[in-house]
């Protein structure tokens, strides 16, 4: 397949990624709409605020043209309860001069003649009973003189809105003075107008009643009206767009940005910045130029200043808006440090500064795998020439790495692994690159360095270095599938991450089709040889394949047909237009397989490709993978032993960072399985041709067959029921098998046997054995102790993983060397080792000595724990158990 390269490839990739991004925006319509419409929403909001302010202004005659102002009557004295925040009980007014009976009459008349509301207790508060009010409520209060009033006001604040002080000058002149509580108290955003509400009504009532009293005409009409001046309409004092516009427009501009901010704190910080800029800080005289320059590097600040300049140009109706030709000028009579033109330049300049910084930080901040580039990576010429500079580091910028201890490479225990290692070492020494080998791995090691992170409160968090891969030597052949198996944490992902350049290696190297993973230029060639596996929920299967085919550099006219063929191969043609987000788990896996194989990659890495698939589809995908082996190497990681068994040409099982075994499935089964599995089926009760009384005889036959296996092969059944017996025959009895099964077949009728099946143990058993062996080794290396509770009731402390253990203090006449047991180990649900049982006690072979001290014997006698002695397995013959 011909692939594009160089600039045409770059252009093709750019176009397809742009298309992908537009498609994703189109598909995520809600989020995109929200981003597009949010500015319109804010504009609508500011429009609504402007209308509301105008409507509010219309209520005031100041903003209306008044040609013939109406006469407005003065209102009656209002109840004291109408005063904002009055304290109860309260008085409608208080007065002084109560030593003069004339003033009593005048006050009584003021109260009686208050228009619409004579001041009587019963009438003053609607809805309340007269009797209770007469008793409880006094409406006005009298004092001797104004000094008494002042004293009362001082000790009873907020109990009345005003006071009136009468004075008789002579028989025809009565004067009065008014005192009003004009403290401005706000209620629901409004201030009380004490002049109109309290002072004028009281003044009018006092004048009216004094005049009537002095003239002696109680019907004398005495009215005062108020009129405002005729005036033209006053323009509104400010434009809401001009006043609050800058914050709104800035909010509009920042909305999409804020949407992407997950942190509320950041959002709050940004809002704080807006408020500061809105007030003109630091673009004022008092701030130094340096401060202004630093401030201007943050684009929202310059942008907000631009809005400030623009809005001040339309603040009042008298202002002239800013013309395009005036963008380089300051407003007249204004100090201005930045014109709109300057702001354009700042915004454009800072765009490039931040763009470059974004790329820089993207490179030096650790990715999901904890890998980043050096902070001076851009100084490496190779970075610019495309021939290097891709070298990566681990750990955060603010963490210091703890150097990893040097890991000694120990020779593998397994002969096949040793042989593989020798072949690869030989090729390395001779500089031979085998033409049939796709990947050569030379002692690949990976130690994740420990880190010391300085967290909050200056606390140091320390993690120890961890050796995840301890020297891997292996070849992956072309046209073959190599399956990497291993329990969780074995190091499989680490090995693959090293091969694909995601994680930097600590030691060793690997050649993929001759390109070294340690050389930056090699790595960029390797990336072109490897398949992808990324899915976007909003893209359909077809779009995924077309996108990756384009990125891989397939010629544009072949992309559609290649994508359709791939979809057909993984049986996704019908769902090709459906978005991947709606695919089932199995469909997603099939799409991943198709993506991994598109563009004819020379190395395909498949990570658990059939997880979640139904058996029919799984078989189909296995066929696809089987067919895909041709012309490439495939590395498969899986936890399905069936998949590994069927697909693999070679299998490697890893545990604790090391390759524990390697070979074909049959080879591993024969070497690491417990042996052969023999399944013996018996005729049922009704079908036995030879038996008359079925079940009882069948049970007899089963016992006879068990005895036959015990006598000839020394094995007991592993599983049994009415119709079957299953035996596991160890490998060391292999040479007995031929005669044994010939005889069994010969005596089939005699034993009531309907079928005999003989097979190797399963790959799963091999896997479990290897995993267990690795756990035992690591437990031994750790040397931690556990307590073995013997069936005899004694407790012995033994090192974790120990197989043969001598029990001190058991020396006797029958066994002068003492007794020992074989400990059986198993793995719990988490994979950790646990004791599953032990053999019967047997005498320790001669030549091995246990410590024999009176203290140990005493411990045993008192039922206390003694320390078991580990016995070298090579000194123990299995026959003794
Ligand atoms: N970035 C890292 N830093 C420190 N230790 C890590 C890091 N990545 C992996 N490890 C450790 O390395 C060991 C091997 O991990 P790895 O992911 O390679 O195992 P695996 O065989 O792929 O397991 P699984 O089957 O669970 O995917 C694990 O003990 C893991 O905790």
């Amino acid at each position: 397949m011909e692939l594009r390269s160089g600039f045409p490839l770059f252009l093709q990739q750019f176009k397809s990624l742009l298309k992908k991004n537009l498609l994703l925006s189109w598909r995520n319509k809600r989020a995109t709409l929200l981003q597009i419409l949010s500015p319109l929403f804010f504009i609508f909001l500011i429009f609504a605020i402007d209308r509301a302010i105008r409507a509010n202004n219309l209520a005031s005659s100041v903003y209306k043209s008044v040609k013939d102002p109406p006469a407005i009557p003065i209102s009656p004295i209002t109840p004291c309860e109408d005063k904002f925040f009055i304290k109860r009980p309260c008085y409608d007014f208080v007065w002084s001069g109560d030593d003069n009976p004339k003033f009593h009459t005048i006050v009584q008349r003021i109260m009686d003649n208050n228009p619409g509301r004579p001041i009587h207790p019963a009438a003053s508060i609607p809805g309340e009973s007269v009797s209770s009010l007469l008793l409880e409520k006094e409406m006005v209060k009298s004092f001797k003189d104004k000094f008494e009033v002042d004293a009362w006001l001082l000790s009873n604040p907020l109990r009345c809105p005003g006071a009136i002080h009468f004075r008789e000058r002579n028989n025809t002149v009565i004067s009065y003075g008014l005192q009003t509580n004009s403290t401005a108290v706000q209620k629901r955003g409004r201030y009380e107008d004490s002049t109109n509400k309290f002072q004028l009504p009281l003044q009018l009532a006092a004048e009216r009643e004094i005049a009537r009293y002095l003239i002696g005409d109680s019907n004398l009409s005495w009215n005062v009206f108020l009129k405002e001046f005729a005036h033209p309409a006053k323009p509104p004092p400010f434009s809401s767009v001009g006043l609050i516009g800058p914050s709104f427009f800035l909010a509009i501009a920042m909305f999409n940005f804020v949407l992407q901010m997950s942190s509320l704190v950041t959002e709050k910080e940004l809002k704080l910045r807006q408020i500061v800029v809105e007030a003109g800080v630091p673009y004022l005289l008092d701030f130094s130029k340096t401060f202004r320059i630093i401030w201007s590097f943050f684009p929202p600040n310059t942008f907000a200043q631009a809005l400030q300049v623009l809005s001040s140009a339309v603040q009042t109706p008298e202002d002239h808006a800013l013309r395009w030709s005036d963008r380089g000028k300051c407003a007249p009579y204004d100090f201005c440090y930045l014109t709109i033109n300057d702001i354009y330049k700042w915004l454009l300049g800072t765009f490039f500064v931040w763009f470059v910084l974004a790329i820089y930080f993207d490179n030096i901040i650790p990715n999901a795998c904890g890998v980043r580039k050096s902070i001076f990576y851009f100084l490496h010429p190779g970075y610019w020439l495309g021939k290097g500079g891709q070298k990566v580091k681990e750990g955060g910028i603010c963490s210091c790495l703890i150097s990893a201890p040097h890991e000694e490479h120990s020779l593998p225990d397994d002969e096949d692994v040793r042989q593989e290692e020798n072949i690869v070492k030989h090729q390395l020494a001779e500089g031979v690159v085998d033409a049939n080998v796709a990947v050569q791995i030379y002692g690949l090691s990976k130690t994740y360095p420990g880190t010391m992170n300085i967290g909050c409160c200056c606390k140091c968090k320390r993690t120890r270095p961890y050796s995840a891969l301890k020297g891997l030597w292996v070849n992956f052949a072309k046209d073959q599938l190599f399956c990497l198996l291993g329990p969780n944490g074995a190091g499989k992902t680490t090995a693959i991450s090293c091969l694909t350049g995601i994680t930097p290696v600590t030691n060793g190297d690997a050649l993929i089709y001759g390109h070294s993973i340690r050389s930056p230029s090699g790595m960029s060639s390797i990336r072109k040889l490897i398949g992808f596996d990324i899915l976007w929920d909003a893209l359909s299967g077809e779009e995924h394949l077309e996108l990756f085919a384009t990125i891989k550099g397939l010629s544009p006219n072949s992309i559609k047909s290649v994508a359709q063929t791939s979809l057909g191969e993984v049986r996704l043609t019908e769902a090709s237009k459906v978005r991947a987000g709606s695919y089932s788990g199995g469909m997603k896996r099939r799409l991943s397989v198709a993506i991994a194989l598109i563009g004819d990659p020379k190395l395909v890495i498949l990570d658990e490709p059939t997880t979640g698939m139904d058996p029919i589809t799984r078989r189909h995908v296995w066929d696809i993978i089987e067919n895909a082996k041709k012309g490439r190497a495939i590395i498969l990681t899986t936890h399905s032993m069936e998949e590994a068994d069927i697909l693999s040409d070679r299998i490697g099982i890893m545990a604790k960072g090391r390759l524990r075994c390697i070979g074909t499935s049959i080879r591993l089964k024969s070497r690491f399985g417990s042996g052969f599995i023999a399944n013996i089926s018996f005729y049922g009760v009704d079908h036995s041709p030879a038996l008359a009384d079925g079940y009882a005889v069948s049970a007899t036959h089963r016992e006879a067959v068990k005895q036959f296996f015990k006598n000839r092969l020394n094995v007991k059944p592993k599983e049994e029921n009415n119709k079957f017996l299953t035996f596991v025959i160890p490998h060391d009895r292999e040479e007995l098998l031929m005669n044994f099964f010939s005889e069994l077949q010969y005596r089939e009728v005699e034993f009531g046997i309907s079928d005999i099946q003989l097979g190797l143990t399963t790959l799963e058993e091999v896997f479990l054995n290897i995993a267990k062996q690795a756990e035992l080794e690591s437990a031994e290396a750790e040397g931690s102790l556990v307590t073995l509770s013997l069936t005899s009731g004694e407790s012995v402390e033994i090192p974790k993983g120990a197989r043969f253990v001598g029990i001190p203090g058991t020396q006797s006449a029958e066994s002068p060397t003492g007794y020992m047991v074989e400990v059986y180990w198993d793995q719990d649900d988490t994979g950790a080792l646990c004791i599953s049982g032990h053999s019967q006690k047997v005498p320790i072979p001669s030549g091995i000595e246990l410590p024999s001290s009176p203290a140990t014997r005493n411990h045993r006698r008192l039922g206390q724990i003694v320390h078991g002695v580990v016995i070298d397995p090579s000194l123990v013959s299995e026959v003794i158990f």
Side-chain angles (χ1 to χ4, degrees), residues 83 86 157-163 179-184 192 194 198:
K83 171 88 181 144
I86 193 88
L158 301 173
R159 296 271 177 196
C160 76
Q179 233 180 330
T180 324
N181 182 350
S182 58
T183 308
E192 200 163 45
S194 62
F198 297 108

Side-chain angles (χ1 to χ4, degrees), residues 46 50 54 236-246 249 306-323 331:
I46 197 167
D50 193 63
R54 276 166 198 262
F238 61 87
S239 131
S240 50
V241 176
L243 192 74
I244 51 174
F249 288 124
L307 293 174
Q308 184 73 32
V309 172
L310 290 175
S311 64
S312 62
V314 290
Q315 192 117 24
T316 65
E318 289 82 30
D319 288 321
H320 297 294
L322 200 75
R323 288 189 180 83

